Amino acid sequence: MVPTLSDTIVALSTPPGIGALAVVRLSGPDAVAITQALFSKKNLAAQPGHTLHYGTLRDPASGQILDEVVAALYRAPRSYTREDVVEISGHGSDFIVRQVLGALLRQGARLAEAGEFTKRAFLNGALDLAQAEAVADLIAADSALSHQVALNQLRGGFSDELRGLRAQLITFAALLELELDFGEEDVEFADRTGLMRLLTEVQGVVNGLLRSFELGNVIKNGITTVIAGRPNAGKSTLLNALLREERAIVSAIPGTTRDFIEDEVSIDGLRFRFVDTAGLRDNPADEVEAIGVQRTRQRIGQAALLLYLFDLTNMTPAEVRADLGEFTAAHPKLPVLLVGNKQDAATPAQLTAFTQLASALNSDSQLSTLFISAGQRLGLEELQDALLTQVRGAGLATTGAATIVTNVRHARALEAAAEHLGAVQQGLATGRGTELLAADLRHALGALGEITGDISSDDLLTSIFTQFCIGK
Ligand code: GDP
């Protein structure tokens, strides 16, 4: 679909339903004129941008008063879309909004498609594609860190860096093409050593971004942490204590089956998703339960961390070792946090025995041990710190969110770029002909350009912007 920027689009930009305010937004060359047809008290056409105007909206067809509103005026190019924009703040009633939208449509506005305001911002050069996508992420952000990452991306993020490197690569690509034009005459305009150096630099950046994707995913989707332990170890008590203790409660999602419950706890801006493995050991009584057990096993397969909780007062170190052995045999790569519970009720002899076990086990870097009392809420700070340490140790998180890729589309494009850049590097090393070098370089440039939208197809744009909500 060829985008038509000559028409004026309109949509409700606040959530539908009852609210104190509803904002209807128009963008396009006739935004002001169309609003004026309904607006009385002021001549909006004579007003400068970045101004607010109180007035009455009236349906020109029936003459009926619709609402008392404030119209915010933005003049092109100093607006979100870089077009003339009017934002009409009225009263938040679905009925009023329907009437206002209807009247505006009859004046020649067109109902905006999903994401069309942001799409126009992109098409008019106010945002690049990665920034436009960050708008959607920002709206969806539900933890401190995902908000920070989206905001960073919206403010330019890695786009600037990529664009700079891409521009340098384009210079080389042009020189290579020029060599091709000279055909037979064996000339070299493109300095091969310089190109090699640049390729190494670009590969470094691309690979760094690719590595950050895993972290980005963790930030967006949370860190799945399995809580395992025998019945009565205190798993529910611990989860409840963490939920109460946490610095920001995200949500508690009842599991889809009766066999496990997932709770999300945000620690230091990172979202931990705790999966309780209750019932895993029991022989499933019926088919439904069997499916539940199977799903729990799947979740453990996807987990990033295992928190194994045991009761200090009624387990022996040998039993704990045996339980742990079972888990690590099944999931050898999973980092483990071994947590002894009910410290408050444990005897000095029990504590000594497990301290010895802990020091024997802690030589394994994949594992760390600590004692808590979930019931008395003791040691929870240390537990949270240990969770963060395990995650960071596993390379899943770093502090700060400078340049982190969270978008699958970007990751795929970066992978393609890395592959083609590698081919150019190899071609240079083996003295491959200019023609092949130039072709690989073109592919690499294409992949990099897809991220920022310097190269984009209509299909791509449609698929990105239809994921937005209407009015954005
Ligand atoms: P789950 O089966 O692993 O979920 O264990 P629960 O959380 O239901 O706890 C089992 C029992 O242990 C309950 O009676 C809790 O009150 C008790 N409990 C849990 N944590 C502690 C603790 O830190 N100290 C003591 N003394 N008892 C605890």
Side-chain angles (χ1 to χ4, degrees):
M1 186 190 69
V2 181
T4 44
L5 296 171
S6 60
D7 53 0
T8 296
I9 53 174
V10 65
L12 175 67
S13 283
T14 43
I18 295 170
L21 292 175
V23 177
V24 169
R25 174 160 63 173
L26 296 102
S27 177
D30 299 324
V32 178
I34 290 173
T35 308
Q36 186 69 63
L38 280 68
F39 195 87
S40 58
K41 284 200 175 135
K42 242 185 206 170
N43 178 14
L44 295 177
Q47 308 297 331
H50 289 77
T51 52
L52 296 177
H53 307 280
Y54 171 73
T56 306
L57 282 193
R58 201 183 284 271
D59 185 345
S62 62
Q64 200 185 347
I65 291 180
L66 301 175
D67 201 2
E68 306 261 306
V69 301
V70 171
L73 220 63
Y74 302 88
R75 295 282 183 187
R78 293 185 57 215
S79 74
Y80 180 64
T81 57
R82 297 225 168 147
E83 303 173 331
D84 278 354
V85 168
V86 182
E87 287 174 6
I88 305 171
S89 303
H91 292 97
S93 122
D94 282 337
F95 176 76
I96 296 177
V97 167
R98 264 201 313 275
Q99 304 294 310
V100 170
L101 280 175
L104 291 168
L105 292 174
R106 282 193 293 277
Q107 291 303 313
R110 168 170 72 69
L111 204 58
E113 291 166 17
E116 199 171 0
F117 288 94
T118 306
K119 186 177 183 179
R120 286 193 170 194
F122 164 69
L123 290 172
N124 290 324
L127 299 169
D128 72 28
L129 203 48
Q131 285 174 310
E133 288 167 309
V135 172
D137 284 346
L138 192 60
I139 295 171
D142 59 2
S143 77
L145 215 54
S146 58
H147 169 257
Q148 195 185 335
V149 171
L151 198 60
N152 183 61
Q153 186 50 36
L154 180 62
R155 296 166 75 96
F158 48 78
S159 300
D160 288 346
E161 191 175 11
L162 272 189
R163 204 172 287 127
L165 292 170
R166 190 165 169 269
Q168 292 183 55
L169 281 175
I170 287 175
T171 310
F172 273 105
L175 291 171
L176 288 176
E177 302 287 344
L178 202 59
E179 286 177 18
L180 291 177
D181 285 346
F182 278 76
E184 310 295 295
E185 305 169 42
D186 222 9
V187 284
E188 271 194 17
F189 296 112
D191 165 25
R192 301 299 195 259
T193 327
L195 178 56
M196 198 60 160
R197 211 179 309 124
L198 179 63
L199 286 170
T200 313
E201 189 189 341
V202 181
Q203 278 285 37
V205 173
V206 168
N207 286 323
L209 288 173
L210 272 174
R211 274 194 303 277
S212 80
F213 178 60
E214 202 178 337
L215 168 59
N217 228 8
V218 159
I219 292 171
K220 240 176 152 171
N221 302 321
I223 299 151
T224 304
T225 305
V226 170
I227 297 195
R230 295 192 182 184
N232 282 328
K235 297 183 294 296
S236 325
T237 311
L238 174 61
L239 264 177
N240 284 331
L242 282 174
L243 280 168
R244 246 175 295 163
E245 197 77 1
E246 67 170 326
R247 295 155 208 181
I249 291 178
V250 179
S251 63
I253 310 162
T256 44
T257 75
R258 58 180 137 149
D259 294 287
F260 66 93
I261 300 204
E262 290 197 16
D263 282 296
E264 289 190 352
V265 178
S266 152
I267 302 171
D268 251 24
L270 276 181
R271 230 185 316 160
F272 286 81
R273 202 177 259 266
F274 288 102
V275 184
D276 193 349
T277 58
L280 196 56
R281 284 166 164 275
D282 307 336
N283 286 325
D286 55 39
E287 207 173 319
V288 178
E289 201 169 303
I291 293 171
V293 170
Q294 200 190 343
R295 287 213 188 131
T296 307
R297 284 193 199 285
Q298 265 172 10
R299 296 294 285 144
I300 298 177
Q302 297 158 358
L305 269 183
L306 169 68
L307 192 164
Y308 183 80
L309 191 71
F310 67 93
D311 185 343
L312 284 163
T313 65
N314 78 353
M315 296 265 289
T316 65
E319 285 170 332
V320 171
R321 251 183 204 278
D323 278 5
L324 208 56
E326 238 177 74
F327 262 104
T328 47
H331 310 283
K333 290 218 182 93
L334 207 58
V336 181
L337 196 58
L338 183 61
V339 182
N341 188 30
K342 309 193 190 180
Q343 190 180 12
D344 58 298
T347 64
Q350 285 168 329
L351 288 175
T352 309
F354 281 107
T355 307
Q356 281 165 358
L357 174 73
S359 47
L361 291 173
N362 279 359
S363 55
D364 175 355
S365 63
Q366 285 251 89
L367 187 140
S368 63
T369 315
L370 73 159
F371 301 156
I372 62 163
S373 169
Q376 309 277 321
R377 301 220 232 145
L378 295 173
L380 295 183
E381 282 280 325
E382 287 80 359
L383 176 60
Q384 295 188 339
D385 287 345
L387 283 168
L388 290 171
T389 307
Q390 281 284 11
V391 168
R392 292 184 178 136
L396 289 178
T398 53
T399 42
T403 42
I404 293 171
V405 176
T406 54
N407 186 303
V408 182
R409 188 182 73 80
H410 299 171
R412 296 291 162 268
L414 286 166
E415 276 167 10
E419 192 189 319
H420 294 302
L421 288 169
V424 184
Q425 279 173 314
Q426 210 190 350
L428 278 176
T430 56
R432 208 183 291 161
T434 307
E435 200 154 335
L436 294 171
L437 290 180
D440 283 328
L441 196 50
R442 260 199 309 272
H443 288 307
L445 283 170
L448 290 174
E450 272 177 26
I451 296 175
T452 51
D454 291 313
I455 293 174
S456 58
S457 70
D458 284 344
D459 289 348
L460 176 67
L461 295 186
T462 305
S463 89
I464 289 173
F465 287 105
T466 47
Q467 289 166 26
F468 279 62
C469 43
I470 306 271
K472 188 60 239 174

